[in-house]
Amino acid sequence: MRIRGAGRIARSAAGALGDFAKRYAGNDIAAFRADLDSAAKTLLGSRPTAVSLRNGVMAAIKGSDSAETVQEAKELIIGNSKDFIRRSEAAVRDIALIGAKRIEDGDVVMTHCNSSVAIGVLAEAHRQGKDFRVYATESRPWRQGILTVKDLAKEGIDTTMIIDSAVRLVMKKVDKVFVGADTITSQGALVNKIGTSQIALAANEARAQFYVCSETYKFSPLTVAGDLVRIEEREVSEVVKPGEIPDSVKVYNPVFDVTPPQYISGIITELGLISPGSVYGIMERKFGTELIGE
Ligand code: RUB
């Protein structure tokens, strides 16, 4: 949790593989491949839900299988890793510009958890002089909302923090919701911080628009092959203190949930504002079949 947010997780993983390649001292290509494989597996095992991590790792090691020398493989991975990070940062900036167009003077906006991409959209709209205010959820149990309200306040955005259970009450005043993404499935469903799907339901009921801010490397090619997205479960200690509840009581702490495509007004990507129904087509264009499978 020291590195969080699906975009940062992906950039850190790609950067870590670039560093691994830079520091690798051996000359045996077979040993290099085995060590690279183990490094990639360690990274992939660190957070199970965000497919950006897998896509970042795959992008960094792309083509290294056919390198004939360690030097060749190292140069390739270092280049891939820099390239992925550069494209990822550019995508975040492009999404901010595209998403900001959706914010109008007088809007009341809601955001959830701590998405650097959604915050980028709000910050850009504010920089453009748009007059709007934001409700940000606390996002129990880890309370990433504290980070969000600090980020928004630093930008000078009119921000109100609410507890997660106030979402439906507050939604009556909200025009638009902007959230980030950990993974987007081939069917256009969103996997994001726990509570996102309740916010989408409340937005749908109140006829507020619900926008997802997501780089296309958060689209999951694995879901094309029918794989389910694994929802990370975290420690009980995030929810209750030791001894606070009877030992016989179980605690279930899933940290992401799934929002079905019918609750999503649009997905703001670096390629433009798309409907959940166009995700598969973009994945086909972007990934082909190369990233599907192990
Ligand atoms: C963070 C979270 C964010 C997405 C997108 O969860 O759910 O909404 O990861 O973030 P956690 P970004 O704190 O458990 O990593 O837009 O920054 O990529």
Side-chain angles (χ1 to χ4, degrees):
M1 291 297 279
R2 268 188 289 148
I3 301 168
R4 11 149 332 281
R8 279 195 202 98
I9 289 171
R11 287 190 292 277
S12 306
L17 289 168
D19 288 346
F20 164 88
K22 232 179 267 171
R23 291 186 202 154
Y24 199 82
N27 278 320
D28 180 330
I29 186 71
F32 178 84
R33 285 215 183 97
D35 290 343
L36 178 67
D37 191 52
S38 135
K41 285 203 171 105
T42 303
L43 289 165
L44 291 175
S46 60
R47 301 274 323 249
T49 301
V51 77
S52 54
L53 172 61
R54 180 181 188 274
N55 288 341
V57 166
M58 297 300 272
I61 64 177
K62 193 175 168 188
S64 62
D65 259 7
S66 38
E68 281 168 12
T69 63
V70 172
Q71 191 54 29
E72 195 188 326
K74 282 171 66 165
E75 279 166 22
L76 190 85
I77 293 167
I78 294 166
N80 284 347
S81 147
K82 279 193 192 141
D83 196 46
F84 178 81
I85 294 169
R86 189 184 44 73
R87 280 189 288 118
S88 163
E89 288 169 347
V92 174
R93 285 194 297 274
D94 290 346
I95 292 170
L97 291 169
I98 297 168
K101 292 185 193 166
R102 288 278 140 169
I103 298 179
E104 295 161 299
D105 281 340
D107 272 350
V108 177
V109 167
M110 183 180 283
T111 191
H112 183 50
C113 191
N114 181 242
S115 158
S116 57
V117 188
I119 291 171
V121 168
L122 305 180
E124 176 57 31
H126 181 72
R127 268 178 233 133
Q128 291 177 4
K130 294 192 177 168
D131 178 23
F132 63 97
R133 55 197 186 90
V134 178
Y135 283 101
T137 55
E138 178 187 13
S139 310
R140 278 271 296 155
W142 215 80
R143 306 184 78 214
Q144 288 96 331
I146 304 270
L147 303 170
T148 296
V149 297
K150 283 184 183 166
D151 289 343
L152 295 173
K154 203 157 69 190
E155 294 289 338
I157 298 173
D158 180 341
T159 304
T160 307
M161 187 168 161
I162 56 169
I163 56 169
D164 302 310
S165 37
V167 161
R168 185 161 177 249
L169 179 96
V170 171
M171 195 59 82
K172 290 179 191 136
K173 304 178 193 170
V174 170
D175 301 293
K176 289 156 196 169
V177 177
F178 290 84
V179 295
D182 279 84
T183 289
I184 295 194
T185 73
S186 57
Q187 292 165 305
L190 163 69
V191 184
N192 192 49
K193 181 56 54 192
I194 192 81
T196 302
S197 66
Q198 287 178 169
I199 296 176
L201 259 176
N204 185 266
E205 179 193 43
R207 295 176 176 275
Q209 290 163 43
F210 183 91
Y211 289 109
V212 181
C213 308
S214 172
E215 310 89 304
T216 54
Y217 58 80
K218 291 172 183 166
F219 292 4
S220 170
L222 298 173
T223 58
V224 177
D227 285 15
L228 297 171
V229 178
R230 213 177 110 209
I231 301 292
E232 182 179 357
E233 277 176 47
R234 295 182 57 84
E235 301 81 51
V236 171
S237 61
E238 287 188 350
V239 180
V240 285
K241 296 189 199 86
E244 204 173 21
I245 56 171
D247 286 346
S248 59
V249 177
K250 297 182 271 301
V251 173
Y252 174 46
N253 182 23
V255 295
F256 296 98
D257 66 18
V258 184
T259 301
Q262 63 266 33
Y263 294 103
I264 299 172
S265 313
I267 304 175
I268 305 165
T269 76
E270 72 276 20
L271 303 178
L273 176 63
I274 64 162
S275 68
S278 351
V279 169
Y280 178 77
I282 290 186
M283 285 209 300
E284 221 178 9
R285 254 176 40 215
K286 190 178 161 74
F287 300 125
T289 49
E290 72 199 66
L291 290 179
I292 298 176
E294 275 311 300

